[in-house]
Amino acid sequence: MDQNRAPVLEALQAFRECGYTPFNPPGHRQGRGADPRVLEILGEAVYAADIISVNGLDDRLNRQGVIEQAQQLMAEAVGAEQAFFSTCGSSLSVKSAMLSVAGPHEKLIVPRHAHKSVTSALILSGVCPVWLSPHWDAERHLSHPPGPDEVRELFKAEPEAKGMLLVTPNDYGTCGDIQAIAEVCHEFGKPLIVDEAWGAHLPFHPDLPPWGMDADADVVVTSVHKSGAAVEQSSVFHLQGDLVDPNVLKAREDLLATTSPTSLVYATLDGWRRHMVQHGKELLTATLALAHSTRAAINDLTGLRVMGEAEFLGEELAKSLDPLKMVIDVSALDISGYQATDWLREHQRVTLGLSDHRRVVAQFTHADDHRTAGILLDALSALVKAADDFETPPPVDLPSSDELQLETVMLPRDAFFAEVEQVDADQAVGRISAEMVTPYPPGAPAVLPGEVITKEVVDYVRSGLNAGMELPDPADSELKSFRVVARKP
Ligand SMILES: Cc1ncc(COP(=O)(O)O)c(C=O)c1O
């Protein structure tokens, strides 16, 4: 295929050049109907790029195959057999992939540190999770993707499991051994889904960790908005082999997706793919060098340490790491990651993604350069100077890995839709949760519907909240009470 083409962008341009007058959505009519106060902030280009697919980008029967061609180009570019665009982030792609592999009451192997979109899929589908413990670094209170031996043991113990989901890289950028895990799954004739939401850039540079399709996974989900240059919500899921039926995958996606996808997502996905095919390697080579030198410069700042191979890699830890994620340990400054992130936003106008009780994460993409790296370095050195004046961070009662692995006594779906009651935190211990309680980011629920709540986990999330942790999902955002299944276990 001609990777210099960008069918969605071309269709968008043709739509404009043909001078169509639409009487179908979107009602803003390429911005004509937008309030000038909105246009002042967003600009007209955003609206001009937002066109319906059917009888807009393409004709009424999609006869030009605009999206189809763009998806085929994407598949070819990253070495997949098929690629599907999604306009609702990996949150939707992960659900589509899981629902294609297992149905209600069927089993699926899932690592317990998976993102909350995985839990949502379990709730919606009624799939029964077979929990797999991630690798656990007790000293640093961090989880990494599980290894192939644990997967093999679990498939032996649960031969009826329909497949497995692996999350790699995680939000800290640490990666599992996809190839070895795919081999184990295939030994048992089962498909491997990889939630590679953080790995959209991996196919485009040989010095980055292996990417799921190259490592023989069956379905791989990516969020291009995270590490690529497509707009928020842009996601692609990729398919190869014959363990997952493409028609089933399409039907599951159709079940969940919008019937009104925005061309803004499609066009930016299409343009990003072309950009990466033409220039990805050179751009990412520069980004890797920048990340390397910035990492060294941060390590020169007293009290900061960018975690790397020494902390992350090992037989019982991670297999590889994404060097573009800079996981900065701030604990030697006697401050928390939450404090550091808030201070950097307020005083340095620098915004970061993940923060936890002792770390912050700065992610580099191909869009970063010496200017942005310099801003980060200046901001961090200002943080080091200011940290003496920070209040001592409230402690977080961190549970051990065993304490984090709660007992599941009901299907997540059954608990979520059961008769529920809201009980005081101390009364919630020993009861079955009917809700998710998720430190976000990274977004792995500490408590899931169907799990028995323990004192340790209540103390963890309540002390976390007090220390600055964001927990978006519980009914009581102050965590004075918890939503539990009315029936006692
Ligand atoms: C591991 C993982 N999977 C899935 C998702 C969902 O991705 P999206 O935000 O694109 O819906 C996230 C989001 O942070 C994630 O970290």
Side-chain angles (χ1 to χ4, degrees), residues 407-423:
E407 188 192 1
T408 303
V409 294
M410 268 176 101
L411 277 186
R413 178 175 69 177
D414 293 349
F416 188 85
F417 291 109
E419 198 185 321
V420 299
E421 56 183 334
Q422 195 74 25
V423 296

Side-chain angles (χ1 to χ4, degrees), residues 121-457:
L122 296 173
I123 292 170
L124 289 171
S125 63
V127 167
C128 176
V130 175
W131 295 119
L132 174 58
S133 299
H135 283 176
W136 182 250
D137 180 343
E139 187 192 330
R140 299 179 183 87
H141 202 83
L142 259 188
S143 67
H144 301 289
D149 295 342
E150 301 95 275
V151 174
R152 180 176 286 105
E153 288 313 307
L154 214 47
F155 269 121
K156 278 190 197 154
E158 303 275 359
E160 71 280 26
K162 294 286 179 184
M164 147 158 198
L165 176 130
L166 177 73
V167 183
T168 177
N170 61 17
D171 207 343
Y172 294 88
T174 70
C175 305
D177 190 344
I178 307 177
Q179 183 86 54
I181 292 176
E183 261 168 42
V184 174
C185 289
H186 296 160
E187 261 172 45
F188 290 86
K190 308 293 165 92
L192 172 66
I193 302 166
V194 179
D195 175 354
E196 217 162 327
W198 287 103
H201 57 306
L202 301 184
F204 298 106
H205 202 285
D207 296 344
L208 289 166
W211 121 266
M213 286 280 114
D214 288 347
D216 292 339
D218 299 273
V219 182
V220 179
V221 167
T222 58
S223 288
V224 178
H225 67 94
K226 290 193 196 301
S227 58
V231 294
E232 284 286 278
Q233 295 185 208
S234 312
S235 169
V236 184
F237 49 103
H238 312 78
L239 175 67
Q240 66 185 1
D242 52 13
L243 292 176
V244 178
D245 181 341
N247 291 322
V248 172
L249 189 56
K250 260 193 210 153
R252 302 300 191 262
E253 193 266 349
D254 182 53
L255 190 71
L256 300 164
T258 175
T259 47
S260 309
T262 172
S263 52
L264 206 55
V265 168
Y266 288 160
T268 53
L269 280 171
D270 197 27
W272 173 75
R273 181 266 318 152
R274 183 176 60 183
H275 196 197
M276 282 297 111
V277 169
Q278 292 177 338
H279 303 292
K281 188 155 178 228
E282 81 202 56
L283 286 168
L284 287 166
T285 298
T287 316
L288 282 162
L290 186 68
H292 184 73
S293 58
T294 309
R295 185 176 282 264
I298 298 173
N299 279 335
D300 284 344
L301 296 173
T302 313
L304 298 184
R305 158 106 192 124
V306 188
M307 297 171 73
E309 293 186 0
E311 290 92 349
F312 286 150
L313 304 192
E315 196 62 27
E316 298 301 316
L317 301 171
K319 173 80 178 165
S320 56
L321 61 88
D322 177 359
L324 302 188
K325 282 261 188 176
M326 255 159 289
V327 182
I328 308 166
D329 191 338
V330 297
S331 58
L333 298 175
D334 289 327
I335 64 173
S336 71
Y338 311 122
Q339 288 173 306
T341 301
D342 291 349
W343 188 89
L344 287 167
R345 179 181 167 91
E346 191 182 341
H347 297 277
Q348 298 294 316
R349 304 285 179 257
V350 163
T351 60
L352 299 175
L354 171 63
S355 51
D356 67 17
H357 62 284
R358 61 182 277 188
R359 293 165 282 251
V360 297
V361 179
Q363 178 202 5
F364 274 17
T365 73
H366 65 284
D368 284 297
D369 55 20
H370 286 287
R371 188 187 68 83
T372 60
I375 290 173
L376 178 66
L377 275 174
D378 289 347
L380 289 172
S381 58
L383 173 73
V384 169
K385 289 192 193 108
D388 277 349
D389 298 331
F390 284 25
E391 282 180 15
T392 306
V396 181
D397 299 335
L398 298 167
S400 67
S401 64
D402 288 347
E403 289 166 346
L404 274 174
Q405 198 92 29
L406 306 185
E407 188 192 1
T408 303
V409 294
M410 268 176 101
L411 277 186
R413 178 175 69 177
D414 293 349
F416 188 85
F417 291 109
E419 198 185 321
V420 299
E421 56 183 334
Q422 195 74 25
V423 296
D424 286 348
D426 54 343
Q427 300 297 310
V429 172
R431 300 290 298 270
I432 306 168
S433 179
E435 64 183 351
M436 283 189 248
V437 184
T438 313
Y440 210 103
V447 182
L448 295 177
E451 289 183 336
V452 178
I453 299 172
T454 59
K455 180 172 181 323
E456 288 76 13
V457 84

